[in-house]
Amino acid sequence: MHLYLVGFVALAMTGLALMGIAGIITGWVPPGWRRRVLRPKLWGYGAVMGAVGMSLYMFIGPFRGPDLSMAPFAMTGMAMFFAGLWLQTLSQRPGSPSGPERR
């Protein structure tokens, strides 16, 4: 069962990272989020950061076993995941104007 969980998480995080890369390069956002996302590149950076963070957490933390020496790295991965979620949340808000129209 452990091997199935590892495979599922690896597949899910790879898919999320690929969607994020597509968002960064082409501005593509999955159909369920297209209405809400106003800045697709920022959404893509958040997706990639979230996928890397969750992968770091899962493969160094719970999937590795009870090794307390790796806990700081696993928690760093969790912090990266939450930072990626925050970037994805910010991508749903309009950006601040830059240039001559800025007051």
Side-chain angles (χ1 to χ4, degrees):
M1 185 67 176
H2 177 74
L3 187 59
Y4 292 124
L5 290 174
V6 170
F8 176 73
V9 169
L11 186 64
M13 292 304 111
T14 301
L16 181 61
L18 289 175
M19 286 191 291
I21 290 169
I24 293 168
I25 293 173
T26 66
W28 180 84
V29 177
W33 292 301
R34 284 186 190 152
R35 253 189 203 173
R36 294 180 288 192
V37 173
L38 302 174
R39 296 186 282 174
K41 286 191 178 198
L42 184 61
W43 181 87
Y45 284 119
V48 170
M49 181 180 278
V52 169
M54 184 53 75
S55 297
L56 186 64
Y57 171 73
M58 292 302 287
F59 292 111
I60 291 180
F63 284 163
R64 187 156 191 261
D67 187 5
L68 199 55
S69 67
M70 298 303 269
F73 299 109
M75 291 302 114
T76 301
M78 187 54 71
M80 282 180 64
F81 174 72
F82 285 123
L85 285 179
W86 179 248
L87 287 178
Q88 287 179 324
T89 301
L90 290 178
S91 74
Q92 297 176 10
R93 299 175 184 210
S96 61
S98 61
E101 70 275 359
R102 185 174 181 177
R103 295 175 193 220

Coordinates of all heavy atoms in Angstrom, one line a residue:
M1 N 0.8 -1.2 0.0 CA 0.0 0.0 0.0 C 0.9 1.3 0.0 O 0.5 2.2 -0.6 CB -0.9 0.0 1.2 CG -1.9 1.1 1.3 SD -3.0 0.9 0.0 CE -4.1 2.2 0.3
H2 N 2.0 1.2 0.7 CA 2.9 2.4 0.8 C 3.4 2.8 -0.6 O 3.4 4.0 -1.0 CB 4.1 2.0 1.7 CG 5.1 3.1 1.7 ND1 4.9 4.3 2.5 CD2 6.3 3.2 1.2 CE1 5.9 5.1 2.3 NE2 6.8 4.4 1.6
L3 N 3.7 1.8 -1.5 CA 4.2 2.1 -2.8 C 3.1 2.8 -3.6 O 3.4 3.7 -4.4 CB 4.6 0.8 -3.5 CG 5.3 0.9 -4.8 CD1 6.5 1.8 -4.7 CD2 5.7 -0.4 -5.4
Y4 N 1.8 2.4 -3.4 CA 0.7 3.0 -4.2 C 0.6 4.5 -3.8 O 0.3 5.4 -4.6 CB -0.6 2.3 -3.9 CG -0.7 0.9 -4.5 CD1 -0.9 -0.2 -3.8 CD2 -0.4 0.8 -5.9 CE1 -1.0 -1.4 -4.3 CE2 -0.5 -0.5 -6.5 CZ -0.8 -1.6 -5.7 OH -0.8 -2.8 -6.2
L5 N 0.7 4.8 -2.5 CA 0.6 6.1 -2.0 C 1.8 7.0 -2.5 O 1.5 8.1 -2.9 CB 0.6 6.2 -0.5 CG -0.6 5.6 0.2 CD1 -0.4 5.6 1.7 CD2 -1.8 6.5 -0.1
V6 N 2.9 6.5 -2.5 CA 4.1 7.2 -3.0 C 3.9 7.5 -4.5 O 4.1 8.6 -5.0 CB 5.4 6.4 -2.8 CG1 6.6 7.0 -3.6 CG2 5.7 6.3 -1.3
G7 N 3.4 6.5 -5.3 CA 3.2 6.7 -6.7 C 2.1 7.7 -7.0 O 2.2 8.6 -7.8
F8 N 1.0 7.7 -6.2 CA -0.1 8.7 -6.3 C 0.4 10.1 -6.0 O 0.1 11.0 -6.8 CB -1.3 8.3 -5.4 CG -2.4 9.3 -5.5 CD1 -3.2 9.4 -6.6 CD2 -2.6 10.2 -4.4 CE1 -4.2 10.3 -6.7 CE2 -3.6 11.1 -4.5 CZ -4.4 11.2 -5.6
V9 N 1.1 10.3 -5.0 CA 1.6 11.6 -4.6 C 2.6 12.1 -5.7 O 2.6 13.3 -6.1 CB 2.3 11.6 -3.2 CG1 3.0 12.9 -2.9 CG2 1.2 11.4 -2.2
A10 N 3.5 11.2 -6.1 CA 4.4 11.6 -7.2 C 3.7 12.0 -8.4 O 4.1 13.1 -9.1 CB 5.4 10.5 -7.5
L11 N 2.7 11.3 -8.8 CA 1.9 11.6 -10.0 C 1.2 12.9 -9.8 O 1.1 13.8 -10.7 CB 1.0 10.5 -10.3 CG 0.2 10.6 -11.6 CD1 1.1 10.6 -12.8 CD2 -0.8 9.5 -11.7
A12 N 0.5 13.1 -8.7 CA -0.2 14.4 -8.4 C 0.7 15.6 -8.4 O 0.3 16.6 -9.0 CB -1.0 14.2 -7.1
M13 N 1.8 15.5 -7.7 CA 2.7 16.7 -7.7 C 3.3 17.0 -9.0 O 3.6 18.1 -9.3 CB 3.7 16.4 -6.6 CG 3.2 16.4 -5.2 SD 2.3 17.9 -4.8 CE 0.6 17.3 -4.7
T14 N 3.6 15.9 -9.8 CA 4.2 16.2 -11.1 C 3.1 16.8 -12.0 O 3.4 17.8 -12.7 CB 4.6 14.8 -11.8 OG1 5.6 14.2 -11.0 CG2 5.1 15.0 -13.2
G15 N 1.9 16.4 -11.9 CA 0.8 17.1 -12.6 C 0.6 18.5 -12.3 O 0.5 19.4 -13.1
L16 N 0.7 18.8 -11.0 CA 0.5 20.2 -10.5 C 1.7 21.0 -11.0 O 1.5 22.2 -11.4 CB 0.4 20.2 -9.0 CG 0.3 21.6 -8.3 CD1 -1.0 22.3 -8.8 CD2 0.3 21.5 -6.8
A17 N 2.9 20.5 -10.9 CA 4.1 21.2 -11.4 C 4.0 21.5 -12.9 O 4.3 22.6 -13.3 CB 5.4 20.5 -11.0
L18 N 3.5 20.5 -13.7 CA 3.4 20.7 -15.1 C 2.3 21.8 -15.4 O 2.5 22.6 -16.3 CB 3.1 19.4 -15.8 CG 4.2 18.4 -15.9 CD1 3.7 17.1 -16.5 CD2 5.4 19.0 -16.6
M19 N 1.2 21.8 -14.7 CA 0.2 22.8 -14.8 C 0.8 24.2 -14.5 O 0.5 25.2 -15.2 CB -1.0 22.6 -14.0 CG -1.9 21.4 -14.5 SD -3.5 21.3 -13.7 CE -3.0 20.7 -12.1
G20 N 1.6 24.3 -13.4 CA 2.2 25.5 -13.1 C 3.2 26.0 -14.1 O 3.2 27.2 -14.5
I21 N 4.0 25.1 -14.7 CA 4.9 25.5 -15.8 C 4.1 26.0 -17.0 O 4.5 27.0 -17.6 CB 5.8 24.3 -16.1 CG1 6.8 24.1 -14.9 CG2 6.6 24.5 -17.4 CD1 7.6 22.8 -15.0
A22 N 3.0 25.3 -17.3 CA 2.2 25.8 -18.4 C 1.6 27.1 -18.2 O 1.5 28.0 -19.1 CB 1.1 24.8 -18.7
G23 N 1.3 27.4 -16.9 CA 0.8 28.7 -16.5 C 1.9 29.8 -16.7 O 1.6 30.9 -17.1
I24 N 3.1 29.5 -16.3 CA 4.2 30.4 -16.4 C 4.5 30.7 -17.9 O 4.7 31.9 -18.3 CB 5.4 29.9 -15.7 CG1 5.2 29.8 -14.2 CG2 6.6 30.8 -15.9 CD1 6.2 29.1 -13.4
I25 N 4.6 29.7 -18.7 CA 5.1 29.8 -20.1 C 4.0 30.4 -21.0 O 4.2 31.3 -21.7 CB 5.6 28.5 -20.6 CG1 6.9 28.1 -19.8 CG2 5.9 28.6 -22.1 CD1 7.4 26.8 -20.2
T26 N 2.8 29.8 -20.9 CA 1.8 30.2 -21.9 C 0.6 31.0 -21.3 O -0.2 31.5 -22.0 CB 1.2 28.9 -22.5 OG1 0.5 28.1 -21.6 CG2 2.3 28.1 -23.2
G27 N 0.5 31.0 -20.0 CA -0.6 31.7 -19.3 C -1.9 30.8 -19.2 O -2.9 31.2 -18.9
W28 N -1.7 29.5 -19.4 CA -2.8 28.5 -19.4 C -3.1 28.2 -17.9 O -2.2 28.0 -17.1 CB -2.4 27.2 -20.1 CG -3.5 26.2 -20.0 CD1 -4.6 26.1 -20.9 CD2 -3.6 25.1 -19.1 NE1 -5.3 25.0 -20.5 CE2 -4.8 24.4 -19.5 CE3 -2.9 24.7 -18.0 CZ2 -5.2 23.3 -18.8 CZ3 -3.3 23.5 -17.3 CH2 -4.5 22.9 -17.7
V29 N -4.4 28.2 -17.6 CA -4.9 27.9 -16.3 C -5.9 26.8 -16.4 O -6.7 26.8 -17.4 CB -5.5 29.1 -15.6 CG1 -6.1 28.8 -14.2 CG2 -4.4 30.2 -15.4
P30 N -6.0 25.8 -15.6 CA -7.0 24.7 -15.7 C -8.4 25.3 -15.8 O -8.7 26.4 -15.2 CB -6.8 23.9 -14.5 CG -5.4 24.1 -14.0 CD -5.1 25.5 -14.4
P31 N -9.3 24.7 -16.5 CA -10.6 25.2 -16.7 C -11.4 25.6 -15.5 O -12.2 26.6 -15.5 CB -11.4 24.1 -17.5 CG -10.3 23.4 -18.2 CD -9.1 23.4 -17.2
G32 N -11.3 24.9 -14.4 CA -12.0 25.2 -13.2 C -11.6 26.5 -12.5 O -12.4 27.1 -11.7
W33 N -10.4 27.0 -12.8 CA -9.9 28.2 -12.2 C -9.8 29.4 -13.1 O -9.5 30.5 -12.7 CB -8.5 28.0 -11.6 CG -8.5 27.0 -10.4 CD1 -9.2 27.1 -9.3 CD2 -7.8 25.8 -10.4 NE1 -8.9 26.1 -8.5 CE2 -8.1 25.2 -9.1 CE3 -6.9 25.1 -11.2 CZ2 -7.5 24.0 -8.7 CZ3 -6.4 23.9 -10.8 CH2 -6.7 23.4 -9.6
R34 N -10.2 29.2 -14.4 CA -10.0 30.3 -15.3 C -10.7 31.6 -15.0 O -10.2 32.7 -15.2 CB -10.4 29.9 -16.7 CG -9.3 29.0 -17.3 CD -9.7 28.6 -18.8 NE -8.7 27.6 -19.2 CZ -9.0 26.7 -20.1 NH1 -10.2 26.7 -20.7 NH2 -8.1 25.8 -20.4
R35 N -11.9 31.5 -14.5 CA -12.7 32.6 -14.1 C -12.1 33.5 -13.0 O -12.1 34.7 -13.1 CB -14.1 32.2 -13.7 CG -15.1 32.5 -14.6 CD -16.4 32.2 -14.0 NE -17.4 31.9 -15.1 CZ -18.6 31.5 -14.9 NH1 -19.0 31.3 -13.7 NH2 -19.3 31.3 -16.0
R36 N -11.5 32.8 -12.0 CA -11.0 33.5 -10.9 C -9.6 34.0 -11.0 O -9.3 35.0 -10.4 CB -11.1 32.6 -9.6 CG -12.5 32.3 -9.3 CD -12.6 31.4 -8.1 NE -12.1 30.1 -8.5 CZ -12.2 29.0 -7.8 NH1 -12.7 29.1 -6.6 NH2 -11.8 27.8 -8.3
V37 N -8.8 33.4 -11.8 CA -7.4 33.8 -11.9 C -7.2 34.9 -12.8 O -7.5 34.9 -14.0 CB -6.5 32.6 -12.3 CG1 -5.1 33.0 -12.6 CG2 -6.6 31.5 -11.3
L38 N -6.7 36.0 -12.3 CA -6.5 37.2 -13.1 C -5.0 37.4 -13.5 O -4.7 38.0 -14.5 CB -6.8 38.5 -12.3 CG -8.3 38.5 -11.8 CD1 -8.5 39.7 -10.8 CD2 -9.2 38.5 -12.9
R39 N -4.1 36.7 -12.8 CA -2.7 36.8 -13.2 C -2.2 35.3 -13.3 O -1.7 34.7 -12.3 CB -1.9 37.5 -12.1 CG -2.3 39.0 -12.1 CD -1.5 39.8 -11.2 NE -1.9 39.6 -9.8 CZ -1.3 40.1 -8.7 NH1 -0.3 40.8 -8.9 NH2 -1.8 39.8 -7.5
P40 N -2.2 34.7 -14.5 CA -1.9 33.3 -14.7 C -0.4 33.0 -14.4 O -0.1 31.9 -13.9 CB -2.3 33.0 -16.1 CG -2.5 34.3 -16.8 CD -2.7 35.3 -15.7
K41 N 0.5 33.9 -14.7 CA 1.9 33.6 -14.4 C 2.2 33.5 -12.9 O 2.9 32.6 -12.4 CB 2.8 34.7 -15.0 CG 2.9 34.6 -16.5 CD 4.0 35.4 -17.0 CE 4.0 35.2 -18.5 NZ 5.2 35.6 -19.1
L42 N 1.6 34.4 -12.1 CA 1.7 34.3 -10.7 C 1.1 33.0 -10.2 O 1.6 32.3 -9.3 CB 1.1 35.5 -10.0 CG 1.2 35.6 -8.5 CD1 2.7 35.7 -8.1 CD2 0.5 36.8 -8.0
W43 N -0.1 32.6 -10.7 CA -0.7 31.3 -10.4 C 0.3 30.2 -10.7 O 0.4 29.3 -9.9 CB -2.0 31.2 -11.1 CG -2.7 29.9 -10.7 CD1 -3.5 29.7 -9.7 CD2 -2.5 28.6 -11.4 NE1 -3.9 28.4 -9.7 CE2 -3.3 27.7 -10.7 CE3 -1.8 28.2 -12.5 CZ2 -3.4 26.4 -11.0 CZ3 -1.8 26.8 -12.8 CH2 -2.6 25.9 -12.1
G44 N 0.9 30.2 -11.8 CA 1.9 29.2 -12.2 C 3.0 29.1 -11.2 O 3.4 28.0 -10.8
Y45 N 3.6 30.2 -10.8 CA 4.7 30.2 -9.9 C 4.2 29.6 -8.5 O 4.9 28.9 -7.9 CB 5.3 31.6 -9.6 CG 6.1 32.1 -10.8 CD1 5.8 33.2 -11.5 CD2 7.3 31.4 -11.1 CE1 6.6 33.6 -12.5 CE2 8.1 31.8 -12.1 CZ 7.7 32.9 -12.9 OH 8.5 33.3 -13.9
G46 N 3.0 30.0 -8.1 CA 2.5 29.4 -6.9 C 2.2 27.9 -7.0 O 2.5 27.2 -6.0
A47 N 1.8 27.4 -8.1 CA 1.5 26.0 -8.3 C 2.9 25.2 -8.3 O 3.0 24.2 -7.7 CB 0.8 25.7 -9.6
V48 N 3.9 25.8 -8.9 CA 5.2 25.1 -8.9 C 5.8 25.1 -7.5 O 6.3 24.1 -7.0 CB 6.2 25.7 -9.9 CG1 7.6 25.2 -9.8 CG2 5.7 25.5 -11.4
M49 N 5.7 26.2 -6.8 CA 6.2 26.3 -5.5 C 5.4 25.3 -4.5 O 6.0 24.7 -3.7 CB 6.1 27.7 -4.9 CG 6.7 27.8 -3.5 SD 6.6 29.5 -2.9 CE 8.1 30.2 -3.7
G50 N 4.1 25.3 -4.7 CA 3.3 24.4 -3.9 C 3.7 22.9 -4.1 O 3.7 22.1 -3.2
A51 N 3.9 22.6 -5.4 CA 4.2 21.2 -5.8 C 5.6 20.8 -5.2 O 5.7 19.7 -4.7 CB 4.2 21.0 -7.3
V52 N 6.5 21.7 -5.3 CA 7.9 21.4 -4.8 C 7.8 21.3 -3.3 O 8.4 20.4 -2.7 CB 8.9 22.4 -5.3 CG1 10.2 22.3 -4.5 CG2 9.1 22.3 -6.8
G53 N 7.1 22.2 -2.6 CA 7.0 22.2 -1.2 C 6.3 20.9 -0.7 O 6.8 20.3 0.3
M54 N 5.2 20.5 -1.3 CA 4.5 19.3 -0.8 C 5.3 18.1 -1.1 O 5.3 17.2 -0.3 CB 3.1 19.2 -1.5 CG 2.3 18.1 -1.0 SD 2.1 18.0 0.8 CE 0.9 19.3 1.1
S55 N 6.0 18.0 -2.2 CA 6.9 16.9 -2.5 C 8.0 16.8 -1.5 O 8.3 15.7 -1.0 CB 7.5 17.0 -3.9 OG 6.5 17.0 -4.9
L56 N 8.6 17.9 -1.1 CA 9.7 17.9 -0.1 C 9.1 17.4 1.2 O 9.7 16.6 1.9 CB 10.2 19.3 0.0 CG 11.4 19.6 0.9 CD1 12.6 18.8 0.3 CD2 11.8 21.0 1.0
Y57 N 7.9 17.9 1.6 CA 7.3 17.5 2.8 C 7.0 16.0 2.8 O 7.4 15.3 3.8 CB 6.1 18.3 3.1 CG 5.3 17.8 4.3 CD1 5.7 18.0 5.6 CD2 4.1 17.1 4.1 CE1 5.0 17.5 6.7 CE2 3.4 16.6 5.2 CZ 3.9 16.8 6.5 OH 3.2 16.3 7.5
M58 N 6.4 15.5 1.8 CA 5.9 14.2 1.8 C 7.1 13.2 1.7 O 7.0 12.1 2.4 CB 5.0 13.9 0.6 CG 3.6 14.6 0.8 SD 2.7 14.2 2.3 CE 2.2 12.6 1.9
F59 N 8.1 13.4 0.9 CA 9.1 12.5 0.7 C 10.2 12.5 1.7 O 11.0 11.6 1.9 CB 9.7 12.6 -0.7 CG 8.7 12.1 -1.8 CD1 8.1 13.0 -2.6 CD2 8.2 10.8 -1.8 CE1 7.1 12.7 -3.5 CE2 7.3 10.4 -2.7 CZ 6.7 11.3 -3.6
I60 N 10.3 13.6 2.4 CA 11.3 13.7 3.5 C 10.6 13.5 4.9 O 11.2 13.0 5.8 CB 12.0 15.0 3.5 CG1 12.9 15.1 2.3 CG2 12.9 15.3 4.8 CD1 13.7 16.4 2.2
G61 N 9.3 13.8 4.9 CA 8.6 13.6 6.2 C 7.9 12.3 6.3 O 8.5 11.3 6.6
P62 N 6.6 12.2 6.1 CA 5.8 11.0 6.4 C 6.2 9.8 5.6 O 6.1 8.7 6.2 CB 4.4 11.4 6.1 CG 4.3 12.9 6.1 CD 5.7 13.3 5.8
F63 N 6.6 9.9 4.4 CA 6.9 8.7 3.6 C 8.3 8.2 4.0 O 8.6 7.0 3.7 CB 6.9 9.0 2.1 CG 5.5 9.1 1.6 CD1 5.2 9.7 0.4 CD2 4.4 8.6 2.3 CE1 3.9 9.8 -0.2 CE2 3.1 8.7 1.8 CZ 2.9 9.3 0.6
R64 N 9.1 9.0 4.6 CA 10.5 8.5 4.9 C 10.5 7.7 6.2 O 11.2 6.8 6.4 CB 11.4 9.7 5.0 CG 12.8 9.2 5.2 CD 13.8 10.3 4.8 NE 15.1 9.8 4.7 CZ 16.0 10.0 5.6 NH1 15.7 10.7 6.7 NH2 17.2 9.5 5.5
G65 N 9.6 8.1 7.1 CA 9.6 7.4 8.4 C 9.9 8.3 9.6 O 10.1 9.5 9.4
P66 N 9.9 7.8 10.8 CA 10.1 8.7 12.0 C 11.6 9.0 12.2 O 12.2 8.5 13.0 CB 9.5 7.8 13.1 CG 9.7 6.4 12.6 CD 9.6 6.5 11.1
D67 N 12.1 9.9 11.3 CA 13.5 10.3 11.4 C 13.4 11.8 11.8 O 13.2 12.7 11.0 CB 14.2 10.1 10.1 CG 15.7 10.4 10.2 OD1 16.2 10.7 11.3 OD2 16.4 10.4 9.2
L68 N 13.7 12.1 13.1 CA 13.5 13.5 13.6 C 14.6 14.4 13.0 O 14.4 15.6 13.0 CB 13.6 13.5 15.1 CG 13.0 14.7 15.8 CD1 11.6 15.0 15.4 CD2 13.0 14.5 17.3
S69 N 15.7 13.9 12.6 CA 16.7 14.8 12.0 C 16.3 15.4 10.7 O 16.9 16.5 10.3 CB 18.0 14.0 11.8 OG 17.9 13.0 10.8
M70 N 15.3 14.9 10.0 CA 14.9 15.5 8.8 C 13.6 16.4 9.0 O 13.1 16.9 8.0 CB 14.5 14.3 7.8 CG 15.7 13.5 7.4 SD 17.0 14.4 6.7 CE 16.6 14.3 5.0
A71 N 13.2 16.5 10.2 CA 12.0 17.3 10.4 C 12.1 18.8 10.0 O 11.1 19.3 9.4 CB 11.6 17.2 11.9
P72 N 13.2 19.4 10.2 CA 13.3 20.8 9.7 C 13.1 20.9 8.2 O 12.5 21.9 7.7 CB 14.7 21.3 10.1 CG 15.1 20.4 11.2 CD 14.4 19.1 11.0
F73 N 13.7 20.0 7.4 CA 13.5 20.0 6.0 C 12.1 19.8 5.6 O 11.6 20.4 4.6 CB 14.4 19.0 5.3 CG 15.9 19.2 5.6 CD1 16.6 18.4 6.4 CD2 16.5 20.3 5.0 CE1 17.9 18.6 6.7 CE2 17.9 20.5 5.3 CZ 18.6 19.7 6.1
A74 N 11.4 18.8 6.3 CA 10.0 18.6 6.0 C 9.2 19.8 6.3 O 8.3 20.1 5.5 CB 9.5 17.4 6.8
M75 N 9.4 20.5 7.4 CA 8.7 21.7 7.7 C 9.0 22.8 6.8 O 8.1 23.6 6.5 CB 8.9 22.1 9.2 CG 8.4 21.1 10.2 SD 6.6 20.9 10.0 CE 6.5 19.2 9.5
T76 N 10.2 22.9 6.2 CA 10.5 23.9 5.2 C 9.6 23.6 4.0 O 9.1 24.5 3.3 CB 12.0 23.8 4.8 OG1 12.7 24.1 6.0 CG2 12.3 24.8 3.8
G77 N 9.5 22.3 3.6 CA 8.6 22.0 2.5 C 7.2 22.4 2.7 O 6.5 22.9 1.8
M78 N 6.7 22.2 4.0 CA 5.3 22.6 4.3 C 5.2 24.1 4.2 O 4.2 24.7 3.7 CB 4.9 22.1 5.7 CG 3.5 22.4 6.0 SD 2.3 21.7 4.8 CE 2.4 20.0 5.1
A79 N 6.2 24.9 4.6 CA 6.2 26.3 4.5 C 6.2 26.8 3.0 O 5.5 27.7 2.7 CB 7.4 26.9 5.2
M80 N 6.9 26.1 2.2 CA 6.9 26.3 0.8 C 5.5 26.1 0.2 O 5.1 26.8 -0.7 CB 8.0 25.5 0.0 CG 9.4 26.0 0.2 SD 10.5 24.9 -0.7 CE 10.0 25.1 -2.4
F81 N 4.9 25.0 0.6 CA 3.6 24.7 0.1 C 2.6 25.8 0.4 O 1.8 26.3 -0.4 CB 3.1 23.4 0.7 CG 1.7 23.1 0.3 CD1 1.3 22.7 -0.9 CD2 0.7 23.1 1.3 CE1 0.0 22.4 -1.3 CE2 -0.6 22.8 1.0 CZ -1.0 22.5 -0.3
F82 N 2.6 26.3 1.7 CA 1.7 27.4 2.1 C 2.1 28.7 1.4 O 1.2 29.5 1.0 CB 1.7 27.6 3.6 CG 0.9 26.5 4.3 CD1 1.5 25.7 5.3 CD2 -0.4 26.3 3.9 CE1 0.8 24.8 5.9 CE2 -1.1 25.3 4.6 CZ -0.5 24.5 5.6
A83 N 3.4 29.0 1.1 CA 3.7 30.1 0.3 C 3.2 30.0 -1.1 O 2.8 31.0 -1.7 CB 5.3 30.3 0.3
G84 N 3.2 28.8 -1.7 CA 2.7 28.6 -3.0 C 1.2 28.9 -3.0 O 0.6 29.5 -3.9
L85 N 0.5 28.4 -2.0 CA -1.0 28.7 -1.9 C -1.2 30.2 -1.8 O -2.2 30.7 -2.3 CB -1.5 28.0 -0.7 CG -1.7 26.5 -0.8 CD1 -2.3 25.9 0.5 CD2 -2.6 26.1 -1.9
W86 N -0.4 30.9 -1.0 CA -0.6 32.3 -0.9 C -0.4 33.0 -2.2 O -1.1 33.9 -2.6 CB 0.4 32.9 0.1 CG 0.3 34.4 0.3 CD1 1.2 35.3 0.0 CD2 -0.8 35.1 0.8 NE1 0.7 36.5 0.3 CE2 -0.5 36.4 0.8 CE3 -2.1 34.7 1.3 CZ2 -1.4 37.4 1.2 CZ3 -2.9 35.7 1.7 CH2 -2.6 37.0 1.7
L87 N 0.6 32.6 -3.0 CA 0.8 33.1 -4.4 C -0.4 32.9 -5.3 O -0.8 33.7 -6.0 CB 2.1 32.6 -5.0 CG 3.4 33.1 -4.5 CD1 4.6 32.4 -5.2 CD2 3.5 34.6 -4.6
Q88 N -0.9 31.7 -5.1 CA -2.1 31.4 -5.9 C -3.3 32.2 -5.5 O -4.1 32.6 -6.3 CB -2.5 29.9 -5.8 CG -1.5 29.0 -6.6 CD -1.8 27.5 -6.5 OE1 -2.2 27.1 -5.4 NE2 -1.6 26.8 -7.5
T89 N -3.4 32.5 -4.2 CA -4.5 33.4 -3.7 C -4.3 34.8 -4.3 O -5.2 35.5 -4.7 CB -4.5 33.4 -2.2 OG1 -4.7 32.1 -1.7 CG2 -5.6 34.3 -1.7
L90 N -3.1 35.3 -4.2 CA -2.8 36.6 -4.8 C -3.0 36.7 -6.3 O -3.3 37.8 -6.8 CB -1.3 37.0 -4.5 CG -1.0 37.3 -3.0 CD1 0.5 37.6 -2.9 CD2 -1.8 38.4 -2.5
S91 N -2.9 35.6 -7.0 CA -3.2 35.7 -8.4 C -4.6 35.9 -8.8 O -5.0 36.2 -9.9 CB -2.7 34.4 -9.1 OG -3.6 33.3 -8.8
Q92 N -5.5 35.8 -7.8 CA -6.9 36.0 -8.0 C -7.3 37.4 -7.7 O -8.5 37.8 -7.9 CB -7.7 35.1 -7.1 CG -7.5 33.6 -7.4 CD -8.2 32.7 -6.5 OE1 -9.1 33.1 -5.7 NE2 -7.9 31.4 -6.6
R93 N -6.4 38.3 -7.4 CA -6.6 39.7 -7.1 C -6.0 40.5 -8.2 O -4.9 40.1 -8.7 CB -6.1 40.1 -5.8 CG -6.7 39.4 -4.6 CD -6.0 39.7 -3.4 NE -6.6 38.9 -2.3 CZ -6.7 39.3 -1.0 NH1 -6.2 40.5 -0.7 NH2 -7.2 38.5 -0.1
P94 N -6.5 41.6 -8.6 CA -5.9 42.4 -9.6 C -4.6 43.0 -9.1 O -4.4 43.3 -7.9 CB -6.9 43.6 -9.9 CG -7.9 43.5 -8.7 CD -7.8 42.2 -8.1
G95 N -3.6 43.1 -10.0 CA -2.3 43.6 -9.6 C -2.3 45.1 -9.5 O -3.3 45.8 -9.9
S96 N -1.3 45.7 -8.9 CA -1.2 47.1 -8.7 C -0.7 47.7 -10.0 O 0.1 47.1 -10.7 CB -0.2 47.5 -7.6 OG 1.0 47.0 -7.9
P97 N -1.3 48.8 -10.4 CA -0.8 49.5 -11.7 C 0.6 49.9 -11.6 O 1.1 50.4 -10.6 CB -1.8 50.6 -11.9 CG -2.3 50.9 -10.5 CD -2.3 49.6 -9.7
S98 N 1.3 49.8 -12.7 CA 2.7 50.3 -12.8 C 2.8 51.2 -14.0 O 2.1 51.0 -15.0 CB 3.7 49.2 -12.8 OG 3.4 48.4 -14.0
G99 N 3.6 52.2 -13.9 CA 3.7 53.1 -15.1 C 3.1 54.4 -14.8 O 2.8 54.8 -13.7
P100 N 2.7 55.2 -15.9 CA 2.3 56.6 -15.7 C 0.9 56.7 -15.0 O 0.6 57.7 -14.4 CB 2.2 57.1 -17.1 CG 2.4 56.0 -18.0 CD 2.9 54.8 -17.3
E101 N 0.0 55.6 -15.1 CA -1.3 55.7 -14.5 C -1.3 55.5 -13.0 O -2.3 55.6 -12.4 CB -2.3 54.8 -15.2 CG -2.0 53.3 -14.9 CD -1.0 52.7 -15.8 OE1 -0.5 53.3 -16.7 OE2 -0.7 51.5 -15.6
R102 N -0.1 55.1 -12.5 CA 0.0 54.8 -11.0 C 0.0 56.2 -10.3 O 0.6 57.1 -10.6 CB 1.3 54.1 -10.8 CG 1.4 53.7 -9.3 CD 2.6 52.8 -9.1 NE 2.6 52.4 -7.7 CZ 3.5 51.6 -7.2 NH1 4.4 51.1 -8.0 NH2 3.5 51.3 -6.0
R103 N -0.8 56.2 -9.2 CA -0.9 57.5 -8.4 C -0.2 57.3 -7.1 O -0.2 56.4 -6.4 CB -2.3 57.8 -8.2 CG -3.0 58.1 -9.5 CD -4.4 58.4 -9.2 NE -5.1 58.4 -10.5 CZ -6.0 59.2 -10.9 NH1 -6.4 60.1 -10.0 NH2 -6.5 59.2 -12.0

